[in-house]
Amino acid sequence: MEKEEKLSAARKAFGDIAPALAGYSDDVLFGDVWERQGLATRERCLITVASLISLYRVNELPFHLKKALDNGVSKEELIEVITHLAFYSGWPTANTALTIARQVFEQVEG
């Protein structure tokens, strides 16, 4: 029996329908871009979460909130980012982000 290869999040989500996009996500986005030396992964996580909240990109937000937690960003810091952004990106984006954050925190703790 061959050892099953672990699939990336991109390959699981859409690799079957868009294998090239999954490859770019793995190799370019999470390979080249996320591995650049200019910022620490933790900082990139905070920037990405803030961008997703501000742009109301709720589909990607759960993945990146979890990634932020996995890279040392605390729940309290994420809530602070959401609170801060309420004044810059709007109350509805913050309220939606809080709902998603609560779900992610429950999943991580559960």
Side-chain angles (χ1 to χ4, degrees):
M1 181 191 292
E2 281 187 41
K3 186 176 181 184
E4 188 174 315
E5 182 180 332
K6 184 176 181 199
L7 296 177
S8 68
R11 294 204 189 278
K12 287 179 189 174
F14 51 82
D16 60 325
I17 192 168
L21 183 57
Y24 295 138
S25 295
D26 291 342
D27 300 334
V28 178
L29 177 58
F30 289 106
D32 296 340
V33 175
W34 272 82
E35 297 302 321
R36 291 176 50 84
Q37 297 300 310
L39 294 170
T41 303
R42 183 182 188 285
E43 294 167 326
R44 289 186 192 282
C45 287
L46 284 167
I47 292 165
T48 302
V49 166
S51 295
L52 292 172
I53 292 167
S54 296
L55 295 169
Y56 205 70
R57 301 298 195 253
V58 297
N59 191 52
E60 302 296 321
L61 190 55
F63 173 84
H64 284 284
L65 286 168
K66 176 146 183 354
K67 186 174 180 69
L69 292 168
D70 290 344
N71 282 286
V73 179
S74 70
K75 292 186 327 186
E76 294 76 19
E77 288 171 313
L78 291 170
I79 296 302
E80 189 62 31
V81 167
I82 294 168
T83 302
H84 186 78
L85 287 173
F87 294 90
Y88 289 92
S89 66
W91 232 258
T93 62
N95 284 334
T96 299
L98 285 172
T99 299
I100 294 169
R102 181 189 312 271
Q103 293 168 353
V104 169
F105 298 162
E106 288 173 356
Q107 288 173 350
V108 168
E109 293 169 356

